[in-house]
């Protein structure tokens, strides 16, 4: 980078030599004062103000250049971290998709696991939420979490594999559980597309890629970097879904900022049998219109309304009360010493 000082001499050749007179008169013994009287600078259009303006512009350009270089370095570091997180997240999704594909019967409990880990959020105390607390034996053994241990065990095995290839530290249970729910939801979307193609997996996959909602997961994917709590969440914050009335479900969803619409779209999360859950929800005048809306949507080729609303709701649910660390899972890049390279 060239300093602005080195550019100053470039002004000098274009300034005409002034005609000047030098007068000398003694002020103190041994001191000579020189006074330069410039006559022709005004004539050629150059004044001290012009010189200062030019010098100021040069300094400004130098500062802009320097600050731009700092921005470029910062942007480069940010891009490296984004790429690291994106690559790690992609590997996580592959691992979870494989695990779930081999255990499709665990899709309902995986969804409920993610829901129950999230709805412990308490707005008044800003505590709870999707913080991985459900991994503790004292919490997973509670009545509302009955039947979810097998899903947690599956994720424990997936975590071992994920941690083995992670370069930026082990994945948190908080992230693991929510991304497992994402993979489970995607598998249900794909299964629906395959059914609409008469069971043909190839055609179903093409249908899902063409009309599915993969492009709607951006916000969910950015919320990557949840921290694990070190203690179980307080008891009494999660309903026993299978025995809860619709009003109790509505009250719980309302407590975390959701309404009848979100309760209806998450019917697959609040019980092992989605059809039975929806039949119960349809008895409530507030929830019934939304249940019918999503049932109609699931009959369409793209089931857009259902998929988009479910993704939006899950993205909000999975971040309740959480501070996302957007540098999580990043790692230092090894520097290459050019002097040691053999050319």
């Amino acid at each position: 980078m060239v300093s602005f000082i080195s550019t100053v001499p470039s002004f000098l050749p274009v300034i005409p030599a002034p005609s000047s007179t030098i007068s000398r008169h003694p002020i103190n013994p041994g001191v000579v004062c020189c006074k330069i009287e410039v006559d022709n600078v005004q004539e050629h259009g150059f004044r001290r103000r012009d010189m200062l303006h030019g010098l100021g512009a040069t300094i400004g350009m130098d500062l802009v250049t320097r600050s731009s270089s700092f921005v470029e370095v910062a942007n480069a570091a940010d891009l490296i971290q984004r790429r690291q997180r994106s690559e790690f997240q992609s590997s996580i999704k592959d691992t979870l998709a494989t695990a779930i594909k081999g255990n499709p019967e665990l899709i309902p409990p995986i969804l409920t696991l993610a829901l129950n880990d999230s709805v412990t959020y308490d707005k008044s105390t800003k505590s709870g939420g999707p913080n991985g607390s459900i991994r503790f034996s004292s919490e997973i053994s509670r009545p509302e979490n009955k039947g979810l241990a097998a899903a947690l065990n599956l994720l424990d095995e997936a975590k071992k594999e994920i941690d083995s290839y992670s370069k930026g530290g082990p994945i948190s249970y908080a992230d693991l559980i929510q991304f497992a729910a994402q993979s489970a939801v995607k598998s249900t979307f794909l299964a629906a597309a395959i059914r609409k193609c008469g069971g043909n997996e190839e055609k179903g996959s093409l249908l899902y890629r063409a009309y599915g909602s993969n492009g709607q997961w951006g916000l969910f994917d950015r919320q990557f970097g949840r921290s694990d709590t070190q203690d179980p969440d307080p008891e009494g914050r999660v309903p026993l879904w299978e025995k809860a009335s619709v009003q109790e479900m509505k009250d719980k969803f309302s407590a975390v900022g959701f309404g009848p619409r979100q309760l209806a779209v998450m019917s697959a999360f609040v019980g092992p049998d989605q059809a039975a859950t929806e039949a119960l929800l349809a008895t409530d005048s507030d929830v019934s219109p939304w249940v019918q809306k999503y049932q109609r949507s699931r009959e369409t080729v793209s089931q857009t309304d259902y998929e988009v609303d479910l993704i939006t709701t899950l993205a909000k649910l999975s971040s309740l009360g959480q501070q996302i660390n957007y540098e999580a899972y990043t790692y230092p890049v090894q520097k290459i010493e050019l002097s040691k390279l053999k050319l």
Side-chain angles (χ1 to χ4, degrees):
M1 183 181 297
V2 180
S3 172
F4 76 89
I5 295 177
S6 63
T7 67
V8 172
S10 62
F11 285 98
L12 302 182
V14 299
I15 300 177
S19 62
S20 59
T21 60
I22 302 177
S23 62
R24 302 184 180 182
H25 54 278
I27 302 299
N28 290 315
V31 178
V32 177
C33 177
C34 297
K35 179 181 179 183
I36 301 178
E37 297 177 355
V38 181
D39 298 328
N40 297 328
V41 173
Q42 180 70 25
E43 176 185 348
H44 293 278
F46 288 97
R47 288 174 291 183
R48 183 173 60 180
R49 183 187 304 171
D50 298 320
M51 186 67 175
L52 292 176
H53 282 173
L55 185 60
T58 305
I59 295 173
M61 289 298 295
D62 184 69
L63 293 176
V64 168
T65 302
R66 291 174 183 269
S67 63
S68 297
S69 67
F70 287 130
V71 171
E72 289 172 3
V73 171
N75 286 343
D78 184 56
L79 288 173
I80 291 173
Q81 290 187 339
R82 288 186 185 184
R83 181 174 180 179
Q84 291 173 349
R85 284 164 55 83
S86 177
E87 290 176 348
F88 183 46
Q89 189 179 110
S90 179
S91 298
I92 291 169
K93 291 179 181 180
D94 289 342
T95 298
L96 291 171
T98 300
I100 290 172
K101 185 176 182 179
N103 299 271
E105 74 283 358
L106 292 180
I107 289 176
I110 287 174
L111 298 179
T112 306
L113 186 76
L115 175 66
N116 286 6
D117 193 44
S118 300
V119 296
T120 57
Y121 177 62
D122 180 70
K123 288 194 292 185
S124 62
T125 61
K126 306 297 183 185
S127 62
N131 55 19
S133 66
I134 202 168
R135 74 188 188 275
F136 293 112
S137 58
S138 60
E139 188 168 332
I140 193 67
S141 60
R142 294 173 185 170
E144 66 267 21
N145 296 324
K146 182 181 178 181
L148 304 184
L152 183 60
N153 291 337
L154 179 69
L155 299 191
D156 279 332
E157 293 302 314
K159 187 178 189 305
K160 292 177 183 177
E161 180 180 344
I162 292 168
D163 290 348
S164 70
Y165 57 67
S166 173
K167 298 178 182 178
I171 185 173
S172 68
Y173 274 92
D175 277 337
L176 178 70
I177 292 169
Q178 298 306 317
F179 275 86
Q182 181 196 48
S183 293
V185 167
K186 284 184 174 182
S187 70
T188 65
F189 291 168
L190 177 58
I194 293 173
R195 283 196 302 271
K196 291 170 184 174
C197 292
N200 188 305
E201 291 191 11
E202 183 178 358
K203 291 182 178 179
S205 297
L206 289 173
L207 176 65
Y208 179 56
R209 287 197 294 270
Y211 296 99
S213 53
N214 269 330
Q216 302 296 321
W217 288 103
L219 176 59
F220 181 95
D221 288 343
R222 285 194 294 275
Q223 295 169 167
F224 183 45
R226 302 167 186 82
S227 298
D228 282 340
T229 184
Q230 300 306 310
D231 299 292
D233 283 337
E235 295 187 56
R237 293 187 178 183
V238 182
L240 188 57
W241 300 112
E242 293 182 11
K243 296 183 179 180
S245 66
V246 179
Q247 188 59 51
E248 289 173 330
M249 295 182 189
K250 288 165 60 177
D251 290 344
K252 182 67 242 187
F253 269 65
S254 177
V256 296
F258 292 150
R261 180 176 188 170
Q262 289 75 31
L263 175 57
V265 82
M266 299 202 77
S267 57
F269 284 67
V270 298
D273 187 341
Q274 184 177 15
T277 301
E278 288 187 334
L280 175 63
L281 295 176
T283 63
D284 184 272
S285 59
D286 293 329
V287 188
S288 180
W290 296 107
V291 171
Q292 295 174 24
K293 173 184 175 69
Y294 296 130
Q295 288 176 338
R296 290 193 299 270
S297 178
R298 290 198 299 268
E299 293 173 359
T300 65
V301 172
S302 62
Q303 52 182 30
T304 302
D305 289 342
Y306 172 68
E307 291 191 6
V308 171
D309 281 7
L310 180 53
I311 293 170
T312 302
T313 303
L314 181 58
K316 182 178 179 181
L317 177 81
S318 66
S319 62
L320 290 173
Q322 300 306 296
Q323 295 293 325
I324 305 299
N325 176 11
Y326 293 100
E327 294 182 356
Y329 312 120
T330 60
Y331 50 91
V333 178
Q334 184 177 3
K335 295 182 180 180
I336 300 176
E337 295 185 25
L338 297 180
S339 60
K340 294 183 178 181
L341 291 178
K342 295 182 179 180
L343 301 178

